[in-house]
Amino acid sequence: MLDKNGIAKRIAKEVEDGFYVNLGIGIPTLVANYVRDDIEVEFQSENGVLGMGPFPFEGEEDADVINAGKQTITTLPGASFFDSAMSFAMIRGKHVDLTILGAMEVSENGDIANWKIPGKMVKGMGGAMDLVASAENIIVAMMHTNRAGESKLLKNCSLPLTGVGCVKKIVTNMAVIEVTAKGFKLLERAPGVSVEAIKNATEGELIIEGDIPEMEI
Amino acid sequence: MINKKVANITEALLGVEDNMTFMFGGFGLSGIPENAIAELVKRNIKGLTCISNNAGVDDFGLGLLLHQKQIKKMVSSYVGENDEFERQMLSGELDVELIPQGTLAERCRAAQAGFPAIYTPAGYGTEVAEGKETREFDGKMHVLEYAFKADFAFIKAWKGDAAGNLIFKGTARNFNPNMCGAAKVTVVEVEELVPVGELDPNQIHIPGIFVQRIFKGETYEKRIEQLTVRQRV
């Protein structure tokens, strides 16, 4: 089974030359660490920066330069700053090529829930609803099961939705899964994880066709 | 040149009353109008409806207004990192409307630009769209969202002049430009108030026409919410 960095490493392989990419908070943020260095990619943060660089060195942090997780960041040559309406024009207008975000639940028709647990956690959706409603290329990065060991890949989401029918691909600690019209299609297994184990950890319909290769990471 | 400069914070906040609706620029604690917030805390203006992406932290930003229970309702996209906020929300003391971040920005921009409402795909099929008008465009469903109506917009810019022209810095820009001219009165505080003519007209982010009052903020703490650094090798 993969750890969070392993999931990020596998997702990094989906990032192509010339892509503008929006990374959500959590595992998605780690993806930036594993993108091949022979391709040109620009990271967008919805609070208003394109061309995000690494965290600053100690003492060089600037309160006026942060990412959507409110962390201090730096910018790379060619970077730009912009206002929130323009930032979401990039997102809603489909100018961002790839969106990677975390989820609490995904259903077999591509619904996603990641912003609210009624009565427990109500922090808000931030930019997630805009991102999932408009992006054409959405990859969800998450653990296959929750802390209680229950599947996060469901027939129907039980939590309040963030978006409907929008998730295309899911990379978990156990598998790479494509969301198809018929349900979750198993594409790859994590190293050392059996198809049977993935099936047991997936509540929604899991489509298994032929031999399922092990992920290369 | 039409002068927008006011002498002090008292003059900048003239007309501010209980039960009004205010917009506040800022993302997290970055680019928040620290001086206007401090003055609202001092005056203890109550019953406020606040339109702001976030609600500050427990002891800074809008968190200061929350502590004095000055806020009746928050309209935001993300309110984590604030225990007092969560307590007031769960106990029902505080009314909270959570909306998608892009929708928040565009409802400000619509008010600024004179659009009564906009259609957005964000939130369709979720509880955010409940009770709202929806419409299909090119095979995709959209939600009708109305322009905000606010009494005051409190803005923080980096540099400005007495004509009200503004330049923002880094990601402290965020919602600030979208809220200028989106309320009946736009009050801007700047770090540097420069002589008219010094700002290059090519570099101005917001023209003075969207601003009614401008003043130089006395001090800026510019607190960092998540200090994240890497080690030198």
Side-chain angles (χ1 to χ4, degrees):
Chain A
M1 260 193 277
L2 302 176
D3 60 5
K4 288 177 178 182
N5 281 289
I7 296 172
K9 260 187 206 174
R10 175 60 190 82
I11 292 177
K13 292 177 65 181
E14 306 283 323
V15 179
E16 294 174 25
D17 190 30
F19 266 17
Y20 292 102
V21 182
N22 180 288
L23 300 177
I25 295 162
I27 304 173
T29 307
L30 302 171
V31 173
N33 300 335
Y34 302 108
V35 174
R36 278 161 45 201
D37 51 15
D38 61 334
I39 62 174
E40 292 296 331
V41 175
E42 281 195 25
F43 291 105
Q44 197 248 21
S45 196
E46 62 267 26
N47 59 317
V49 55
L50 196 56
M52 244 192 307
F55 296 132
F57 288 120
E58 204 173 341
E60 291 178 6
E61 64 274 5
D62 181 347
D64 293 329
V65 183
I66 61 168
N67 63 17
K70 289 130 189 166
Q71 296 170 310
T72 45
I73 55 155
T74 60
T75 53
L76 296 173
S80 56
F81 295 115
F82 35 85
D83 64 65
S84 299
M86 189 177 282
S87 180
F88 283 91
M90 293 175 191
I91 291 164
R92 212 183 297 105
K94 305 186 197 304
H95 306 286
V96 173
D97 299 287
L98 176 63
T99 294
I100 303 166
L101 75 176
M104 296 171 191
E105 296 176 348
V106 177
S107 74
E108 58 187 37
N109 65 338
D111 293 352
I112 177 171
N114 71 354
W115 73 283
K116 184 180 184 181
I117 302 173
K120 271 189 193 167
M121 185 211 82
V122 190
K123 288 178 189 290
M125 67 292 284
M129 283 194 183
D130 304 274
L131 282 157
V132 302
S134 295
E136 294 186 319
N137 196 1
I138 299 174
I139 301 178
V140 164
M142 65 176 192
M143 303 310 268
H144 211 96
T145 54
N146 64 21
R147 287 201 180 94
E150 298 155 343
S151 181
K152 294 171 72 173
L153 291 92
L154 309 172
K155 280 198 184 308
N156 295 295
C157 293
S158 63
L159 296 169
L161 296 182
T162 308
V164 292
C166 50
V167 176
K168 303 286 184 295
K169 202 176 245 186
I170 307 159
V171 179
T172 74
N173 53 327
M174 300 181 85
V176 178
I177 284 166
E178 189 188 341
V179 179
T180 70
K182 290 176 189 165
F184 297 125
K185 187 179 174 188
L186 184 58
L187 299 182
E188 299 171 21
R189 306 175 281 118
V193 176
S194 69
V195 169
E196 199 56 29
I198 297 165
K199 207 176 165 184
N200 289 338
T202 308
E203 190 224 78
E205 183 70 29
L206 188 68
I207 301 162
I208 303 155
E209 286 174 4
D211 274 349
I212 305 300
E214 200 167 272
M215 284 181 211
E216 286 174 31
I217 48 171
Chain B
M1 198 274 295
I2 300 170
N3 184 52
K4 307 292 173 73
K5 190 182 159 189
V6 292
N8 49 46
I9 185 91
T10 311
E11 210 176 300
L13 269 67
L14 208 69
V16 163
E17 290 171 15
D18 287 351
N19 305 312
M20 280 186 161
T21 298
F22 296 159
M23 289 177 164
F24 293 90
F27 187 101
L29 300 177
S30 190
I32 57 171
E34 295 185 21
N35 289 267
I37 292 170
E39 183 67 12
L40 291 169
V41 169
K42 206 169 103 188
R43 292 199 200 177
N44 203 13
I45 308 281
K46 288 189 186 293
L48 301 175
T49 296
C50 297
I51 300 164
S52 167
N53 189 55
N54 313 95
V57 294
D58 274 319
D59 60 344
F60 201 56
L62 294 186
L64 298 170
L65 295 176
L66 282 166
H67 254 278
Q68 292 199 141
K69 303 206 168 77
Q70 291 173 259
I71 303 178
K72 181 180 69 184
K73 182 180 179 181
M74 279 296 310
V75 181
S76 305
S77 88
Y78 190 84
V79 293
E81 282 90 63
N82 193 323
D83 293 339
E84 176 63 13
F85 183 99
E86 206 166 332
R87 192 196 65 71
Q88 289 187 22
M89 177 169 64
L90 294 173
S91 71
E93 292 166 60
L94 181 70
D95 187 9
V96 180
E97 184 183 347
L98 291 170
I99 59 173
Q101 198 175 125
T103 300
L104 179 65
E106 211 58 26
R107 288 177 70 184
C108 293
R109 213 194 70 84
Q112 176 193 58
F115 294 115
I118 52 118
Y119 277 105
T120 175
Y124 178 77
T126 76
E127 63 180 51
V128 162
E130 278 169 21
K132 291 177 183 168
E133 226 176 293
T134 57
R135 186 167 163 180
E136 187 181 327
F137 294 94
D138 296 324
K140 192 175 168 117
M141 292 307 292
H142 293 73
V143 185
L144 186 71
E145 296 280 5
Y146 291 94
F148 283 125
K149 288 187 169 72
D151 298 295
F152 280 83
F154 295 109
I155 306 299
K156 155 78 197 320
W158 178 34
K159 290 181 183 179
D161 62 20
N165 297 307
L166 309 177
I167 293 178
F168 300 90
K169 181 171 163 260
T171 53
R173 191 183 313 191
N174 56 65
F175 290 84
N176 282 297
N178 307 131
M179 290 175 172
C180 287
K184 286 176 196 155
V185 183
T186 296
V187 178
V188 182
E189 55 182 84
V190 292
E191 287 175 57
E192 294 177 42
L193 192 61
V194 305
V196 169
E198 195 170 292
L199 298 178
D200 177 353
N202 288 299
Q203 305 298 327
I204 287 166
H205 294 139
I206 285 290
I209 192 169
F210 292 111
V211 174
Q212 277 72 48
R213 301 172 193 169
I214 189 166
F215 69 101
K216 184 184 178 303
E218 231 163 64
T219 55
Y220 284 99
E221 181 178 335
K222 287 201 183 185
R223 200 186 288 187
I224 291 173
E225 213 168 318
Q226 303 282 343
L227 177 64
T228 320
V229 294
R230 72 189 139 129
Q231 298 304 313
R232 286 173 203 275
V233 279

